[in-house]
Amino acid sequence: MKFDYYHPFYSVQKKCWCPGVKAQPMDQTYFETLLDMSEVKKTIEEFQQGDKEAKKKLPAICWMGTSASGKRLASDMQPTQFVMIDIDHVEDACQKALFLISAHEKDFGEYKIRLVHITPSGKGIRIVFRATQDFKTVKEHQEWLVEKLNLNELGDIDEAVTDLSRLSFVVHRDYLVYYDKALFEEECDFAPIANTDVQTQIKKKSQSEEKSLFPLISDEDRTNLEKFEYKGTFITEIA
């Protein structure tokens, strides 16, 4: 299983950093390389120290949808069969995420939870899990897991996370709380989730026509990335 990955670029017109407009395939090896990149950790620290633009410099992953055209357009998105939940305004996010795992560890396999991490702000929790045949939409899946794990008790559920083109900023592995590599080993084997938010999405003007003045990722950068060797553990306790 591969997911769409977007490398950020600087928009001269908007005078700010923006998510990439052309998707690149991301496999398990590349994902684990990103987790260990010191530049990712540094950028997150800058964001937490008050640089609000810093987060936009982070690479981003589309966990819920993949685009055949390579452009992040709602009308092009096909479901990956994974669902994402964002929990915002979480006090002591690290401790609450670890408590969630300790309290429901036996349920993670049954509910097919594949990834839990702290968001770049340090005040949110993101969960990625496998869709089931019991529900047809992203929202139905989210409501189901929220009830099963009492996620409302952790913070505010972001109800806007329902479109398949929603991005997730990459974090350093220090922010990783739970990771099951089955995330990259599973393929769709039943009817896909309905892309119910397409009409809402296409009303917004796409930024896909804006051209990046920089390559999505240079040959030199890719060569350097390939030199990294993942040496972390799949479950990291955050002090």
Side-chain angles (χ1 to χ4, degrees), residues 54-96:
K55 185 171 74 169
K56 298 177 182 179
K57 299 178 185 179
L58 292 169
I61 302 167
C62 194
W63 291 118
M64 297 195 292
T66 184
S67 172
S69 69
K71 297 180 179 180
R72 195 167 65 91
L73 301 174
S75 56
D76 288 350
M77 285 292 168
Q78 296 298 317
T80 61
Q81 298 302 72
F82 285 90
V83 179
M84 183 171 75
I85 293 178
D86 275 1
I87 310 172
D88 300 328
H89 311 121
V90 183
E91 296 294 333
D92 299 320
C94 295
Q95 295 303 320
K96 287 187 176 179

Side-chain angles (χ1 to χ4, degrees), residues 155-219:
D156 299 326
I157 308 299
D158 188 345
E159 297 185 357
V161 185
T162 57
D163 60 279
L164 300 183
S165 60
R166 185 75 173 215
L167 291 179
S168 170
F169 289 108
V170 171
V171 296
H172 189 266
R173 75 179 183 91
D174 286 353
Y175 293 76
L176 196 67
V177 185
Y178 180 88
Y179 169 35
D180 184 341
K181 60 184 179 181
L183 176 66
F184 292 94
E185 298 172 351
E186 297 173 316
E187 298 289 346
C188 175
D189 56 2
F190 54 88
I193 298 172
N195 193 356
T196 56
D197 295 307
V198 168
Q199 295 304 316
T200 301
Q201 297 290 317
I202 61 179
K203 290 179 182 178
K204 301 178 181 179
K205 185 178 180 180
S206 170
Q207 298 178 1
S208 63
E209 296 179 358
E210 184 170 3
K211 303 298 181 181
S212 169
L213 297 183
F214 301 95
L216 295 180
I217 182 166
S218 67
D219 291 339

Side-chain angles (χ1 to χ4, degrees), residues 138-156:
V138 169
K139 189 172 181 59
E140 288 174 343
H141 279 87
Q142 291 170 333
E143 292 174 343
W144 167 75
L145 194 66
V146 166
E147 180 180 354
K148 288 290 185 180
L149 301 182
N150 299 315
L151 298 180
N152 278 316
E153 296 180 0
L154 301 179
D156 299 326

Side-chain angles (χ1 to χ4, degrees), residues 18-85:
C18 302
V21 295
K22 184 71 174 179
Q24 299 179 71
M26 183 194 68
D27 58 14
Q28 178 182 343
T29 300
Y30 197 74
F31 174 63
E32 292 172 2
T33 298
L34 290 170
L35 292 176
D36 271 344
M37 287 189 67
S38 59
E39 192 62 30
V40 169
K41 184 176 183 178
K42 179 182 176 182
T43 301
I44 292 174
E45 290 173 348
E46 291 173 353
F47 175 59
Q48 293 182 358
Q49 291 168 4
D51 183 353
K52 295 183 179 180
E53 291 296 309
K55 185 171 74 169
K56 298 177 182 179
K57 299 178 185 179
L58 292 169
I61 302 167
C62 194
W63 291 118
M64 297 195 292
T66 184
S67 172
S69 69
K71 297 180 179 180
R72 195 167 65 91
L73 301 174
S75 56
D76 288 350
M77 285 292 168
Q78 296 298 317
T80 61
Q81 298 302 72
F82 285 90
V83 179
M84 183 171 75
I85 293 178

